[in-house]
Amino acid sequence: MTDDASGEGESFEVIPAVDIQDGEVVQLVQGERGTEKTYGDPVAAARRWIDAGAETLHLVDLDGAFEGERGNAGAIDAVIDAVDVPTQLGGGIRTAEDAIDLLERGVDRVILGTAAVERPEIVAEISEDRPDSVVVSLDAKDGEVVVEGWTEGAGISPVEAARRYADLGAAAILFTNVDVEGRLEGVATEPVRELVDATDIPVIASGGVATLADVRALKDAGAAAVVVGSALYEGNFTLAEAQATVDAGE
């Protein structure tokens, strides 16, 4: 991620998602298996977004997120080898050792979801060894953080969780609103605004982006960046259009 998107500047970054399942790029509706639409080879997708101007790539091992162990390591390694922009990777990272191995492999930031909820101290362990390297993924349904591939409630609100992880050294919060994720029906800005107001670390928003107005709305809500998947893959707008819209402050 660029300095700007990590909260050290004022620019807002639009980050393309490369979500991988069974070795292919897919997009799911509300995180549910069986709803996927396939978009081909991960390396080709990554190169496409870099050619379009991406300064960061958001990589997710969906099989890892569901199964608890990384299932697309080969495909992700191929992407890391093929690109020269910063990457952030989530899905199936369950231990500090796994995270540090990935960081040494060339991933710039690891995204922890289930592992951080189940054992919050893992954030401090990794951050102590590799400062500014941990993004904590807070995925929420009906105002509650969910884990295990969005299948189980964690009994904590996103705001409570964000404060906890900021204190433990997280570099940023990735907030996904599962209620709108993958539906291309628009974003919910109030939960993002609440998180931004509750913590001093950057909030990266994800879920529901369908239009350029949605991208602008998330910037206006105070997010530092947005991860976009389906809207880009479906051609609702281009990456350049999205970035230009927020850069122009329209």
Side-chain angles (χ1 to χ4, degrees), residues 17-82:
V18 181
D19 297 351
I20 305 172
Q21 179 175 282
D22 295 328
E24 292 191 300
V25 176
V26 304
Q27 288 288 293
L28 306 180
V29 177
Q30 294 187 291
E32 294 183 8
R33 277 178 157 173
T35 65
E36 61 269 7
K37 187 167 182 179
T38 304
Y39 296 95
D41 177 66
V43 170
R47 286 177 171 154
R48 170 187 173 188
W49 298 131
I50 291 170
D51 289 345
E55 296 182 357
T56 303
L57 290 178
H58 176 83
L59 310 176
V60 180
D61 184 336
L62 289 172
D63 296 298
F66 284 109
E67 307 298 340
E69 58 185 41
R70 296 179 60 225
N72 292 283
I76 287 163
D77 282 348
V79 171
I80 294 168
D81 287 339

Side-chain angles (χ1 to χ4, degrees), residues 81-164:
D81 287 339
V83 305
D84 58 0
V85 301
T87 56
Q88 54 187 37
L89 170 65
I93 305 169
R94 294 293 191 264
T95 69
E97 292 77 15
D98 286 345
I100 291 168
D101 283 348
L102 286 164
L103 293 166
E104 290 177 348
R105 173 71 183 81
V107 173
D108 291 87
R109 283 185 170 178
V110 291
I111 303 167
L112 302 181
T114 298
V117 171
E118 293 181 346
R119 199 167 69 84
E121 60 270 21
I122 191 175
V123 177
E125 289 173 20
I126 300 166
S127 298
E128 187 173 320
D129 186 80
R130 300 290 292 263
D132 198 41
S133 68
V134 178
V135 176
V136 174
S137 176
L138 298 180
D139 307 328
K141 276 184 181 179
D142 299 323
E144 180 184 12
V145 173
V146 290
V147 294
E148 300 293 350
W150 300 345
T151 61
E152 297 181 14
I156 188 171
S157 75
V159 165
E160 292 173 293
R163 289 173 173 153
R164 169 195 294 175

Side-chain angles (χ1 to χ4, degrees), residues 195-220:
L195 273 182
V196 171
D197 290 343
T199 180
D200 291 331
I201 61 175
V203 175
I204 305 165
S206 175
V209 173
T211 66
L212 293 173
D214 292 331
V215 176
R216 287 195 298 271
L218 290 171
K219 180 185 179 183
D220 292 344

